[in-house]
């Protein structure tokens, strides 16, 4: 269908006139209109659940049943109440999520960039094996080792209570365990596109390797750093399994863990409050995502399409 | 340099600073670099020394040796010249080693143990816990006056016995006579230098911890322990069980004997176990249990089949819809294309963990929007019927996943050169043939690796299942907490941390190891296949 829709430049002069003559509503529908029809169906499918949450969050009744009439009333009470629940410290969850997400993302970018630089610019024994090992280790996602992580953190907590079970620092360290791997691959590919002659020129000028890395290379690969950072931020902020095991105290929990408990206990009565929480939680991530989507898609496909 | 050249925007990404201007600050910056290096290393070393000290106190020699070796290695790497790759790889590798590789190995180890509820310590811990929990108050016990002290988060009893002697002890150390203490007006010892005396409010705030605290009277646990119900008076408690180290048995008041039954617990002749037991290595027992116990094997097999079905169908449905939409909207100068695109990627941008919860509300059997509004009040059990629940999970995952496939397919379609289509059309090929024989194979080459990673992701797509159905509806006949929509990873989580059926870390880790082998095999095979596909073209 696509092939038929696009006319080739060579044929154009011959076809322009007959086309004009046939153009009526039916032609328009066959050519473009049905696409809009499908588009409209997809718009409803894609956007409806989101509109529904938004509507529920503005609904003062609180229940699931009351949320079934969309945008009947608009009331910001839920958003205010959300911050006044003693047992569900939403503000704390929000801050925790941002802090954990940002620190883990920054750490991931830094560790990943160091490794990618070594793999891209240096030749050493075990380099190929190292790259392959990274790929292999990633096949065992951290979430599979959740029991071992729990027991490991319990053990560490006996020596360093600051990073044991129940601490956010411990959780961040666990997330950093996954810093190498897919991220290093993404960055490694991008590092390779930066000409080595830049490094060599700087080296001849007497710059140390650390100086080249921090002041030259990191700046040149900034786009991929942003992509990896954002992907890792989104990944850690929605991570549920490990966070639910490690963070035991409501004050230290993240949005994923906290909001889950919100709904899992009594679905219908907390519903509009949950919706308000969900809207607030989603807005920053979605805004960031939409703003940077071009780069994300580029980053995701770069490795495979190449 | 002084006159602006039109080419300057192109030169922007390369470092503008000429070499000459770099030279003067370089020497100072390299001393700064060394200072930073030394500062970071000393912080790491300080932490390491603290850890070594703590491990030394706890007499954990193997971790002690590991921490020592790693600390020495790290210092050596950063203080000696050369070994440049190691300087860049070490930080990431350390985290990888501890939180990935060690975790894999440790999971493997746990899979061969009976670790779990009531089986999570050493035998010695189990013996002393059994003695403590079987304690009963001695009927005519004298009253010991007691003050609760605290030091480094640990509680101590400062005991003034009926004869006026004062001693100090905690859960870990039996009572010991002391002489350096302060007393209150009634002659009761109430303070010791270096310890904090708990006030009334503190006692109330930590009531549980304090009433649970038992301080042994002497080194021999059979002598009994002191407990306080109120924080000011303590009584002697004796265990109703007595332990005989020589024969390694427990005897209770009725004379029943409990022996080490060989599977990590003391059992008597009639099969009653004393709780807690302790961790032992059980070899392949967990794997054997998974494959031979009827009410575990059945659910495990159906969960495995559903995991594959879920992952394959998820990839297939999202890819089909995404590709279809990519073709539909791959028409140059179609109006509103950007708006469609923007709204259609919203589900992908929406945080994944929230999607399941939102649809949970939409699908609610009694009050949800779908039943109430779309189906006019019907009570369709979207999440409570095994097959409908499977359908719902796939539908929600389609909602979540199609935008990703749409974006990827759009990119891949646009990267296929238009000349190919033209050539085929000139040769008289129909549009469908052009798509099927030329575009689709080309598209598949670039998209296949992403489809494989999407499969691997969905294979362990915990959030969507757990948030939407919780794995349910539950199969009540199963010996593990498994439901119709459980995939392997949610099964692992529920077996390990579930509330329904006690925690069984050993069995859960055995499942995790099985998943690892499945995913690794599938990925390796499919990557080989795509390599072959690439070479073909």
């Amino acid at each position: 269908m696509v092939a038929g829709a696009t006319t080739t430049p060579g044929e154009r002069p011959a076809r322009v006139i007959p086309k004009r003559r046939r153009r009526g509503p039916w032609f328009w529908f066959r050519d473009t209109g049905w696409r809009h029809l499908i588009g409209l169906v997809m718009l409803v499918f894609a956007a409806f659940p989101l509109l529904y949450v938004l509507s529920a969050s503005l609904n003062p009744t609180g229940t699931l049943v009351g949320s079934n009439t969309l945008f009947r009333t608009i009331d910001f009470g839920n958003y205010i109440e959300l911050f006044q629940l003693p047992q569900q410290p939403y503000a704390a969850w929000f801050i925790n999520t941002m802090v954990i997400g940002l620190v883990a993302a920054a750490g991931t970018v830094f560790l990943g960039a160091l490794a990618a630089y070594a793999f891209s610019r240096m030749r050493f024994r075990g380099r190929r094996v190292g790259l392959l090992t990274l790929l292999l280790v990633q096949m065992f996602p951290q979430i599979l080792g959740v029991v071992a992580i729990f027991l490991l953190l319990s053990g560490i907590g006996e020596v360093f209570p600051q990073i044991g079970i129940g601490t956010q620092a411990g959780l961040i360290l666990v997330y950093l365990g996954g810093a190498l791997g897919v991220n290093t691959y993404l960055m490694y590919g991008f590092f390779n596109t930066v000409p080595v002659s830049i490094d060599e020129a700087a080296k001849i000028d007497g710059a140390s390797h650390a100086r080249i890395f921090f002041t030259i290379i990191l700046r040149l690969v900034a786009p991929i750093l942003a992509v990896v950072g954002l992907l890792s931020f989104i990944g850690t902020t929605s991570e549920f399994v490990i966070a639910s095991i490690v963070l035991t105290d409501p004050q230290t929990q993240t949005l994923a863990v906290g909001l889950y408990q919100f709904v899992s206990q009594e679905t219908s009565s907390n519903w509009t409050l949950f919706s308000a929480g969900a809207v607030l939680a989603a807005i920053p991530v979605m805004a960031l995502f939409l703003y940077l989507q071009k780069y994300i898609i580029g980053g995701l496909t770069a490795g495979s399409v190449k | 340099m002084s006159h602006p050249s039109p080419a300057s925007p192109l030169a922007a990404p390369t470092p503008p600073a000429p070499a000459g201007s770099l030279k003067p600050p370089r020497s100072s910056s390299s001393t700064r670099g060394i200072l930073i290096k030394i500062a970071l290393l000393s912080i790491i070393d300080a932490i390491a020394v603290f850890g070594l000290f703590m491990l030394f106190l706890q007499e954990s020699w193997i971790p002690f040796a590991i921490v020592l070796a790693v600390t020495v290695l790290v210092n050596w790497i950063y203080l000696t010249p050369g070994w440049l790759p190691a300087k860049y790889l070490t930080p990431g590798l350390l985290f990888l080693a501890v939180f990935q590789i060690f975790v894999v190995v440790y999971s493997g180890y746990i899979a061969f143990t009976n670790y779990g509820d009531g089986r999570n310590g050493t035998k010695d811990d189990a013996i002393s816990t059994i003695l403590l929990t079987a304690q009963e108050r001695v009927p005519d016990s004298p009253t010991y006056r007691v003050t609760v002290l605290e030091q480094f988060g640990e509680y101590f009893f400062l005991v003034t016995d009926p004869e006026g002697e004062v001693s100090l002890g905690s859960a870990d150390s039996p009572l010991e006579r002391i002489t350096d203490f302060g007393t209150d007006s009634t002659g009761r010892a109430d303070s010791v230098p270096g310890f904090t005396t708990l006030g009334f409010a503190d006692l109330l705030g930590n009531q549980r911890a304090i009433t649970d605290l038992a301080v042994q009277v002497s080194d021999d646990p059979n002598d009994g322990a002191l407990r306080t119900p109120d924080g000011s008076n303590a009584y002697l408690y004796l265990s109703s069980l007595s332990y005989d180290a020589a024969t390694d048995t427990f005897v209770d008041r009725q004379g029943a004997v409990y022996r080490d039954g060989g599977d990590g617990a003391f059992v008597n002749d009639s099969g009653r176990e004393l709780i807690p037991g302790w961790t032992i290595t059980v070899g392949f027992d967990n794997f054997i249990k998974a494959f031979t116990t009827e009410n575990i094997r059945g659910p495990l097999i159906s969960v495995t089949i559903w995991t594959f079905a879920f992952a394959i169908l998820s990839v297939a449905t999202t890819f089909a819809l995404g590709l279809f939409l990519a073709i539909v909207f791959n028409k140059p100068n179609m109006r509103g294309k950007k708006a469609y695109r923007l709204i259609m990627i919203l589900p992908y941008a929406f945080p994944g963990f929230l999607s399941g919860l939102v649809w949970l509300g939409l699908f609610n059997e009694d009050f949800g929007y779908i039943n109430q509004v779309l189906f006019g009040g019907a009570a369709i059990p979207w999440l409570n019927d095994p097959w409908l629940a499977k359908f719902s999970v796939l539908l929600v995952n389609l909602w979540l996943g199609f935008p990703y496939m749409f974006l990827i397919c759009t990119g891949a379609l646009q990267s296929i050169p238009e000349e190919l289509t033209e050539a085929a059309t000139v040769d008289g090929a129909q549009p469908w043939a052009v798509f099927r024989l030329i575009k689709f194979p080309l598209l598949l080459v670039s998209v296949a690796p992403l489809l494989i990673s999407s499969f691997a992701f969905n294979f362990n797509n915990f959030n969507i299942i757990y948030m939407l159905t919780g794995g349910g509806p539950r199969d009540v006949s199963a010996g593990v907490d498994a439901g119709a929509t459980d995939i392997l990873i949610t099964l692992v989580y529920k077996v390990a941390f579930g509330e329904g059926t006690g925690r069984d870390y050993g069995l859960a880790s055995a499942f995790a190891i099985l998943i690892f082998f499945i995913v690794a095999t599938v990925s390796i095979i499919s990557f080989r296949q795509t390599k072959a596909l690439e070479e073909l073209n």
Side-chain angles (χ1 to χ4, degrees):
Chain A
M1 326 165 215
V2 181
T6 49
T7 53
T8 50
E11 294 166 301
R12 191 163 284 164
R15 280 203 179 176
V16 165
I17 299 162
K19 241 183 174 179
R20 279 259 163 88
R21 220 180 286 153
R22 265 192 287 155
R23 190 161 278 188
W26 177 235
F27 175 82
W28 179 84
F29 183 80
R30 274 190 48 186
D31 189 51
T32 332
W34 63 277
R35 296 171 202 268
H36 286 289
L37 208 65
I38 291 171
L40 287 175
V41 172
M42 288 318 295
L43 287 196
V44 173
F45 181 55
F48 174 73
L50 303 177
L51 286 178
Y52 171 74
V53 181
L54 186 63
S55 150
S57 75
L58 298 170
N59 188 313
T61 58
T63 61
L64 198 52
V65 128
S67 313
N68 285 341
T69 47
L70 296 183
F71 298 106
R72 173 72 55 83
T73 43
I74 290 184
D75 176 281
F76 288 91
N78 289 318
Y79 288 89
I80 296 162
E81 197 187 333
L82 198 58
F83 290 91
Q84 295 166 342
L85 301 169
Q87 297 304 315
Q88 283 104 351
Y90 185 83
W93 294 342
F94 202 95
I95 296 167
N96 295 339
T97 307
M98 291 300 141
V99 169
I100 292 174
L102 287 176
V103 174
T108 300
V109 167
F110 182 64
L111 296 181
L114 284 175
Y117 179 64
F119 280 125
S120 166
R121 294 304 153 98
M122 300 166 194
R123 294 294 173 266
F124 49 94
R125 254 206 356 232
R127 174 173 165 273
R128 255 189 75 78
V129 178
L131 277 169
L132 278 176
T133 314
L134 283 188
L135 205 65
L136 193 75
V137 170
Q138 288 296 314
M139 284 182 191
F140 190 96
Q142 280 191 315
I143 157 173
L144 271 185
V146 61
V147 172
I149 288 174
F150 172 73
L151 297 174
L152 174 65
L153 279 188
S154 312
I156 292 179
E158 282 169 22
V159 182
F160 295 106
Q162 298 84 357
I163 54 171
I165 286 287
T167 63
Q168 297 174 349
L171 183 64
I172 292 174
L173 292 183
V174 172
Y175 288 154
L176 288 184
L180 300 195
V182 180
N183 299 316
T184 313
Y185 264 86
L186 276 178
M187 293 198 214
Y188 168 73
F190 201 95
F191 274 69
N192 282 344
T193 64
V194 176
V196 186
S197 51
I198 295 176
D199 301 31
E200 279 161 3
K203 215 179 278 170
I204 290 166
D205 289 341
S208 67
H209 64 88
R211 192 175 172 82
I212 294 173
F213 174 71
F214 283 106
T215 60
I216 301 176
I217 301 292
L218 279 192
R219 270 177 216 173
L220 292 179
V221 297
I224 196 72
L225 300 187
V227 169
V228 168
L230 183 66
L231 287 178
S232 140
F233 178 78
I234 291 177
T236 33
T237 49
S238 350
E239 205 283 327
F240 173 82
V241 180
I242 301 172
S244 76
I245 298 298
V246 174
L247 303 176
T248 41
D249 175 27
Q251 283 294 336
T252 63
Q253 280 167 346
T254 59
L255 284 168
V257 181
L259 282 177
Y260 172 71
Q261 290 159 359
F262 233 104
V263 191
S264 68
Q265 285 152 9
E266 17 183 349
T267 314
S268 34
S269 64
N270 269 337
W271 185 249
T272 56
L273 267 178
F274 160 78
S275 300
V279 169
L280 283 188
I283 284 176
V285 177
M286 288 177 86
L288 203 60
F289 185 92
L290 293 178
Y291 179 63
L292 292 170
Q293 51 141 322
K294 246 191 322 202
Y295 305 102
I296 299 174
I297 307 303
L300 281 175
T301 45
S304 60
V305 175
K306 209 172 285 166
Chain B
M1 265 288 161
S2 54
H3 32 130
S5 83
S8 63
L10 283 177
T14 53
S21 69
L22 272 182
K23 273 195 175 152
R26 182 165 50 89
S27 61
S28 76
S29 88
S30 70
T31 22
R32 199 182 62 187
I34 289 171
L35 284 178
I36 292 173
K37 189 155 97 177
I38 290 174
L40 285 175
L41 267 183
S42 23
I43 291 172
I44 291 168
D45 288 346
I47 296 171
V49 167
F50 173 76
L52 286 172
F53 180 68
M54 295 297 287
L55 288 169
F56 181 81
L57 287 185
Q58 294 179 7
E59 299 178 8
S60 328
W61 300 120
I62 295 175
F64 183 89
I66 295 173
V67 172
L68 186 67
V70 170
T71 315
V72 170
L73 187 70
V74 166
N75 280 288
W76 190 65
I77 286 174
Y78 285 100
L79 291 178
T80 51
W83 280 60
L84 201 53
K87 288 190 168 78
Y88 281 87
L89 286 171
T90 304
L93 285 183
L94 276 183
F95 281 100
L96 185 81
V98 178
F99 293 105
Q100 276 270 359
I101 296 173
F102 178 77
V103 160
V104 175
V105 175
Y106 196 34
S107 293
Y109 166 72
I110 298 166
F112 291 97
T113 67
N114 63 351
Y115 218 134
D117 258 352
R119 293 271 199 282
N120 44 15
T122 62
K123 191 173 178 180
D124 289 342
D125 294 342
I127 291 170
S128 56
T129 314
I130 290 171
L131 283 174
L132 281 180
T133 48
Q135 275 171 353
E136 286 164 8
R137 183 171 160 184
V138 177
D140 48 1
S141 156
T143 305
Y144 297 82
R145 292 193 291 170
V146 69
T147 306
V148 183
L149 306 179
E150 192 242 270
Q151 190 188 38
F152 305 133
E154 197 184 350
Y155 295 116
F156 290 80
F157 280 173
L158 179 61
V159 178
T160 316
D161 70 15
E163 285 89 55
E165 302 285 1
V166 175
S167 41
L168 183 71
S170 74
D172 299 330
S173 53
L175 284 184
E176 225 170 300
R177 194 66 59 77
I178 57 164
T179 49
D180 183 16
F181 55 87
T183 51
D184 66 7
S185 54
T186 65
R188 177 229 303 259
D190 71 346
S191 64
V192 174
F195 292 78
T196 317
T197 303
L198 259 61
F200 185 63
D202 297 328
L203 286 176
L204 272 187
N206 302 291
Q207 212 171 6
R208 262 304 285 280
I210 289 160
T211 51
D212 282 351
L213 187 63
V215 178
Q216 287 184 21
V217 178
S218 73
D219 283 331
D220 183 2
N222 287 326
D223 283 351
L226 291 186
R227 287 168 162 250
T228 175
D230 55 8
S232 63
N233 290 313
Y235 306 96
L236 184 66
Y237 281 65
L238 269 178
S239 180
S240 59
L241 292 159
S242 61
Y243 178 67
D244 180 7
T247 56
D248 190 23
T249 53
F250 273 103
V251 181
D252 69 10
R253 291 231 179 94
Q254 283 78 40
V257 181
Y258 294 82
R259 289 185 185 79
D260 180 349
D263 65 342
F266 287 104
V267 281
N268 69 4
D269 294 336
S270 57
R272 205 178 85 90
E273 275 187 0
L274 291 181
I275 295 168
W278 59 94
T279 310
I280 55 164
T281 319
V282 295
F284 284 92
D285 274 11
N286 285 316
F287 294 94
I288 294 169
K289 194 160 123 193
F291 287 118
T292 57
T293 312
E294 192 60 44
N295 63 357
I296 297 181
R297 185 183 59 188
L300 182 63
I301 291 174
S302 56
V303 165
T304 310
I305 294 172
W306 166 241
T307 310
F308 272 99
F310 171 72
I312 293 170
L313 286 173
S314 292
V315 176
T317 51
T318 51
F319 179 60
L321 184 60
L323 179 60
F324 173 69
L325 293 172
I327 294 167
V328 168
F329 292 103
N330 191 23
K331 179 175 166 55
N333 58 45
M334 176 185 166
R335 282 197 184 189
K337 217 164 62 171
K338 278 204 171 143
Y340 286 127
R341 199 181 125 110
L342 184 72
I343 292 177
M344 280 200 296
I345 62 172
L346 286 181
Y348 183 44
F350 194 63
F353 72 96
L354 289 173
S355 314
L357 298 176
V358 168
W359 281 87
L360 177 68
L362 283 168
F363 274 134
N364 186 291
E365 188 175 336
D366 304 316
F367 314 110
Y369 189 91
I370 294 181
N371 275 346
Q372 283 296 310
V373 181
L374 295 187
F375 289 92
I380 302 168
W382 293 107
L383 303 175
N384 298 322
D385 173 81
W387 288 102
L388 273 178
K390 287 183 162 127
F391 170 78
S392 309
V393 168
L394 284 172
L395 182 71
V396 174
N397 214 20
L398 175 66
W399 182 78
L400 266 172
F402 86 86
Y404 172 71
M405 294 293 183
F406 168 62
L407 291 171
I408 287 170
C409 290
T410 305
L413 272 182
Q414 284 169 353
S415 70
I416 296 174
E418 204 52 40
E419 290 81 29
L420 289 176
T421 321
E422 280 165 31
T425 321
V426 168
D427 286 348
Q430 292 300 304
W432 172 241
V434 173
F435 175 76
R436 194 168 57 91
L437 299 171
I438 298 175
K439 286 199 168 178
F440 189 67
L442 280 176
L443 181 114
L444 216 52
V445 170
S446 58
V447 174
L450 295 174
L451 293 185
I452 294 168
S453 57
S454 169
F455 172 85
F457 172 80
N458 277 307
F459 201 85
N460 288 322
N461 195 346
F462 180 93
N463 277 10
I464 187 68
I465 304 276
Y466 196 74
M467 301 286 178
L468 188 62
T469 63
R474 192 180 164 184
D475 174 3
V476 281
S477 66
V480 283
D481 183 5
T485 53
D486 258 320
I487 55 174
L488 284 162
I489 188 68
T490 57
L491 187 66
V492 169
Y493 185 80
K494 282 155 78 175
V495 169
F497 303 101
E499 279 146 21
T501 51
R503 302 176 161 202
D504 193 339
Y505 299 141
L507 188 62
S509 294
F511 287 166
I513 298 293
L514 289 178
I515 302 179
F516 171 56
F517 281 119
I518 295 175
V519 176
T521 313
V522 170
S523 315
I524 289 170
I525 291 174
S526 43
F527 270 112
R528 283 229 175 109
Q529 293 284 328
T530 49
K531 272 242 176 83
L533 201 68
E534 263 171 37
E535 279 154 13
L536 221 67
N537 284 272

